[in-house]
DNA sequence: TATAACCTTTACGTTAACGTCAATACTAAT
DNA sequence: ATTAGTATTGACGTTAACGTAAAGGTTATA
C-alpha cells in the first residue's frame, strides 16, 4: 500500500507472524483495523497496537490480559474504572516484572557460563 | 518429612502449584524424584530443579525447552553435544533475553504512568 | 479482460500444559 | 486394627492460541 496504510500481510511480514494470527487478535478485540470494502486496512496506530500486543506476549501475558491493558492504555483519562482496585493489581504486576527482570539476569549469566563451557570444549577437541 | 526430603504436596504448597503439575513435569523428564516404595520423595536437588523449571516458565520457555536446558545444566563438562551449533543458539537466546529485558523496562515505566493516572483520578473524585 | 496473487469468512483441527475424575494403595495416628 | 488423610496410576477433559483447509470475492497488471 502506498499511503501510511498496511495490508494484513504487510504486518504479518514485518512482525513475523501469519495473517491468521492477526485476524485472531482482531477477533479478540485487540485490533480494530479499518476496511476498504471487505479488505482490512491497518493504520500506523494499528501497527503500534500490534507492537504492544507482541510485547505483552513476550512478557507472558495472555491475549485477554493484553486486551485489558490496551483498553487501559487507550482509555481517556477519566475512563479508568475502579482505580483503587487497579492500584493493587499494578503492584502485583510490578512485583512480577521485577522478579522477571531478575530471572532474565540469571538466565543471561547462565548463558555466559554455558558459552564458556562450549568454548572450552571446542578448544580441547581442536 | 523430617529430613531434607519433601513430599509432592510439600513442593506443591511451596511453589503454589498442584501435585498434578509436578507429576506432569516428571512425566516429561524435568524431574526425577526418588521413591520410597511407590511414593515420590523429593530431595533438595529436586527442589532446585523445580525452581529452575519455574524460572524457565516465567521466561516463556516451553517445558520441552526447559528440559533441554536442564539436561545441559546438569551435564558433565564433556557431555555437551554439538557445541558449535549450540553457540549459535546461545546467541539467539541472549538476543531474546536482552529484548525481554527492554520489554520489562517499558512495562515498568508504563505501570508508573498508569499508577499516576490512577492517583490523579482518585484525587479528583475525593 | 483474463489471470495470478492476494483477500475474505467459516469451520474444524492441533498442541501444550495441565485439570479432573475414578479407583486404588499406602501411611499415620488413634 | 481401623480410619482419615494422602499418594499413585490411568485416562479422558479443557483452554488458549493459533493452524489449516475449503470456497469464494478482489485487485493489479500484463
Amino acid at each position: 500500500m502506498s499511503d501510511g496504510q498496511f495490508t494484513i500481510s504487510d504486518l504479518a511480514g514485518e512482525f513475523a507472524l501469519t495473517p491468521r494470527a492477526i485476524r485472531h487478535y482482531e477477533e479478540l478485540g485487540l485490533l480494530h483495523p479499518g476496511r476498504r470494502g471487505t479488505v482490512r486496512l491497518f493504520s500506523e496506530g494499528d501497527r503500534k497496537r500490534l507492537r504492544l500486543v507482541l510485547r505483552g506476549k513476550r512478557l507472558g501475558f495472555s491475549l485477554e490480559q493484553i486486551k485489558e491493558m490496551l483498553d487501559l492504555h487507550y482509555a481517556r483519562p477519566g475512563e479508568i474504572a475502579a482505580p483503587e482496585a487497579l492500584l493493587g493489581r499494578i503492584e502485583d504486576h510490578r512485583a512480577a516484572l521485577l522478579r522477571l527482570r531478575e530471572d532474565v539476569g540469571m538466565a543471561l549469566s547462565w548463558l555466559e557460563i554455558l558459552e564458556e563451557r562450549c568454548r572450552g570444549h571446542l578448544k580441547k577437541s581442536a
Side-chain angles (χ1 to χ4, degrees), chain A:
Chain A
M1 291 287 142
S2 46
D3 215 350
Q5 301 287 97
F6 314 94
T7 74
I8 197 169
S9 50
D10 286 339
L11 292 187
E14 175 175 359
F15 294 108
L17 28 88
T18 65
R20 175 65 176 99
I22 298 183
R23 289 189 200 107
H24 184 57
Y25 299 155
E26 183 184 356
E27 286 173 22
L28 298 189
L30 301 182
L31 300 175
H32 312 287
R35 301 262 172 158
R36 185 180 57 189
T38 148
V39 172
R40 271 165 266 253
L41 271 191
F42 295 80
S43 69
E44 187 56 41
D46 294 323
R47 198 179 120 180
K48 287 182 180 170
R49 277 186 82 104
L50 182 50
R51 221 194 268 291
L52 292 180
V53 169
L54 298 183
R55 181 170 300 154
K57 288 206 67 183
R58 289 192 299 265
L59 290 170
F61 295 109
S62 72
L63 296 181
E64 194 178 328
Q65 289 177 307
I66 294 174
K67 175 177 164 47
E68 277 190 55
M69 296 176 175
L70 285 174
D71 290 350
L72 273 172
H73 186 78
Y74 288 102
R76 285 168 294 180
E79 286 207 344
I80 300 177
E84 55 280 86
L86 186 52
L87 281 175
R89 298 180 53 201
I90 289 180
E91 259 323 289
D92 295 348
H93 279 301
R94 197 195 319 271
L97 286 170
L98 291 175
R99 186 178 53 180
L100 182 55
R101 194 157 66 180
E102 283 184 27
D103 290 335
V104 172
M106 310 277 290
L108 280 171
S109 51
W110 183 75
L111 281 187
E112 293 282 320
I113 293 173
L114 186 61
E115 190 176 356
E116 263 320 295
R117 285 180 55 186
C118 272
R119 296 204 187 284
H121 191 281
L122 282 179
K123 286 245 169 174
K124 264 206 310 191
S125 63

